[in-house]
Amino acid sequence: MIVQNKKIAIIGGGPGGLTLANLLQINKAEVQVYERDEHKDVRVQGATLDLHEESGLEALKRAGLMDAFIAHYRPDAGKLKILDKDLTVYLNEHDSVNSHSEDRPEIDRAPLRKILLEALTPGTVVWDSQFLSMEKQGDGWRLYFKNGKSYDADIVIAADGANSRIRPYITDIQPVYSGITMVEGNIYHAAINAPKLWKLVEGGKIFALDEEKTLLFSTKGDGTLTFYTGCKVDENWVRESGIDFSNREQIFEWFRKEFGTWNETWQELFMSEDSSFVVRPQYHYPLDQKWETLPNLTMLGDAAHRMPPYAGEGVNMAMQDAYELAECLTSNKYDTVQDALSHYENQMLKRASEITRVTLDNTILMHEPKAIEKLMKMFNGD
């Protein structure tokens, strides 16, 4: 095995990084995960995750974690409603025997992380380790972290997300703005703090599409309602809008203007003080991105191929990256680590290009006139 007696450092303890760590440990590789969160119980933000058969679920099968997944997934969390701004319902999977979500089971991020963490050898994850920089050290790397500590590794894998600090060591290819900026919000104890919307979503998901804008909703098992607004704005809107996005009232004032013709029920999104918000301009990498494979450094997930969320592929891509990379590094097909990484990157970039194209098509569709009509045709296979 080409990684025998080599120290592998994974930067980032999200689903992609933890999946990779599990698969490498199964094959007796020496691996350490460096995660910036202070500890394992930090609140995990973001929407629920729908795992796909050929990617996210396949990764869990290879890691021997399907029983744990089945014990923690949420059977009805993927049931979808499609509405317009006036709450007119065009699709309600809660009333259907069959739904589009049945082959994409949902799990909250926190339970998925817990499953992946508990399967690792104790001490695999080094918490409170925010990556700052690295430099070549012999045939490997020395890694430096914000907590003042440093570690050596023979192979480094970036799993540190869309704003990866390691990606620039691999390529200078810059992301492209998609034309859409989202405001992500989490309303905690939503049954109390947003009762109308909590009742409307019925423990599942909502796509509200109108006026070339989107509101996407999902629920969590802990009673949190997560939502994302999607609007066509200039790339520099966040900086030039004059809005303090740490100020709930200023965000709410923007929402009242931007979604002013929408039913008043949607206003509940910003009425609770028990909530958090973050603005997210949506970027993607060029479909034809390519770089020269390095001897002992690569990346997976959003670090390699960030994209908007309008196809639900982000976590699935990361977990598929993880099992394909693990397979390359632990097989006997390659003479060197660089050969293994080259094969992994070639297939990963081809797959990422295809999925990014689909995602961008969905992004355009959901933010154009007659979006619901076109989305329903897509769901019906027209």
Side-chain angles (χ1 to χ4, degrees):
M1 187 172 68
I2 54 175
V3 295
Q4 189 171 3
N5 300 321
K6 293 185 182 294
K7 294 180 180 179
I8 302 173
I10 299 172
I11 310 303
L18 294 177
T19 299
L20 177 61
N22 272 282
L23 294 169
L24 290 174
Q25 283 192 347
I26 287 172
N27 287 279
K28 310 302 182 184
E30 183 180 353
V31 60
Q32 207 83 58
V33 178
Y34 299 95
E35 166 56 38
R36 67 181 180 180
D37 284 349
E38 290 186 7
H39 50 78
K40 65 181 179 63
D41 297 317
V42 168
R43 174 180 268 168
V44 180
Q45 304 289 9
T48 56
L49 304 169
D50 59 317
L51 299 190
H52 305 172
E53 184 67 35
E54 73 284 357
S55 47
L57 293 177
E58 177 64 22
L60 292 178
K61 289 176 183 176
R62 294 188 182 207
L65 297 175
M66 277 303 296
D67 286 346
F69 172 79
I70 291 169
H72 289 88
Y73 90 108
R74 298 173 54 220
D76 295 327
K79 289 189 174 181
L80 175 65
K81 287 184 179 180
I82 298 178
L83 298 85
D84 64 15
K85 66 176 184 175
D86 299 315
L87 304 180
T88 304
V89 179
Y90 292 82
L91 174 71
N92 183 359
E93 293 187 337
H94 297 273
D95 295 336
S96 305
V97 176
N98 299 313
S99 73
H100 296 89
S101 62
E102 286 184 335
D103 59 344
R104 296 184 169 191
E106 301 268 345
I107 189 169
D108 291 349
R109 290 173 182 267
L112 178 60
R113 188 187 211 184
K114 187 172 187 288
I115 289 169
L116 293 167
L117 283 172
E118 290 182 348
L120 292 170
T121 302
T124 298
V125 179
V126 183
W127 299 98
D128 190 25
S129 297
Q130 183 174 343
F131 176 85
L132 290 180
S133 64
M134 63 186 191
E135 62 184 9
K136 291 183 179 179
Q137 184 78 12
D139 293 330
W141 297 92
R142 174 157 292 174
L143 309 169
Y144 297 94
F145 296 89
K146 188 176 180 179
N147 60 15
K149 297 180 180 179
S150 63
Y151 303 91
D152 293 336
D154 299 300
I155 302 169
V156 176
I157 298 160
D160 54 340
N163 298 309
S164 171
R165 290 192 173 190
I166 295 181
R167 181 183 168 96
Y169 291 86
I170 300 172
T171 177
D172 59 2
I173 297 172
Q174 296 299 306
V176 179
Y177 180 56
S178 70
I180 301 297
T181 290
M182 306 172 74
V183 174
E184 175 187 337
N186 287 283
I187 303 173
Y188 310 111
H189 310 291
I192 297 171
N193 294 317
K196 292 179 182 178
L197 289 174
W198 185 255
K199 182 178 180 181
L200 185 66
V201 76
E202 292 189 68
K205 292 188 173 185
I206 285 178
F207 288 1
L209 317 175
D210 221 326
E211 298 180 336
E212 302 181 42
K213 303 165 190 170
T214 56
L215 282 176
L216 310 183
F217 297 80
S218 66
T219 60
K220 293 184 181 180
D222 66 359
T224 299
L225 178 64
T226 298
F227 71 89
Y228 302 87
T229 71
C231 296
K232 294 179 178 178
V233 294
D234 292 337
E235 182 177 6
N236 298 321
W237 175 73
V238 175
R239 185 173 66 250
E240 296 174 352
S241 66
I243 300 169
D244 178 359
F245 287 96
S246 65
N247 185 309
R248 183 176 61 87
E249 286 301 322
Q250 289 190 29
I251 302 176
F252 192 12
E253 183 61 30
W254 161 79
F255 182 82
R256 280 191 290 250
K257 292 178 181 177
E258 189 68 27
F259 291 81
T261 64
W262 290 49
N263 186 283
E264 65 177 12
T265 299
W266 307 112
Q267 307 297 316
E268 275 192 336
L269 292 175
F270 295 92
M271 290 181 176
S272 170
E273 294 187 2
D274 192 10
S275 55
S276 63
F277 308 97
V278 60
V279 60
R280 298 191 188 280
Q282 295 301 301
Y283 288 87
H284 64 90
Y285 284 110
L287 300 182
D288 61 350
Q289 67 168 335
K290 181 70 175 176
W291 56 82
E292 183 177 346
T293 300
L294 298 175
N296 52 10
L297 176 62
T298 192
M299 52 186 166
L300 60 76
D302 286 349
H305 43 65
R306 66 188 295 184
M307 63 188 73
Y310 297 105
E313 291 287 354
V315 70
N316 289 285
M317 290 284 287
M319 294 176 75
Q320 185 166 352
D321 292 347
Y323 77 68
E324 290 184 357
L325 177 54
E327 186 174 44
C328 288
L329 289 174
T330 59
S331 75
N332 295 315
K333 295 180 181 179
Y334 309 102
D335 294 329
T336 66
V337 170
Q338 188 168 12
D339 290 341
L341 296 183
S342 178
H343 180 83
Y344 157 72
E345 290 180 349
N346 286 335
Q347 65 183 5
M348 177 267 288
L349 288 171
K350 180 181 178 181
R351 173 167 47 84
S353 178
E354 295 169 354
I355 297 299
T356 301
R357 187 184 302 278
V358 171
T359 297
L360 294 179
D361 287 346
N362 284 0
T363 303
I364 292 170
L365 182 152
M366 294 177 71
H367 296 90
E368 63 182 0
K370 299 183 179 180
I372 289 180
E373 178 182 330
K374 295 174 182 178
L375 186 62
M376 292 303 298
K377 285 183 178 180
M378 184 179 76
F379 275 11
N380 293 325
D382 297 338

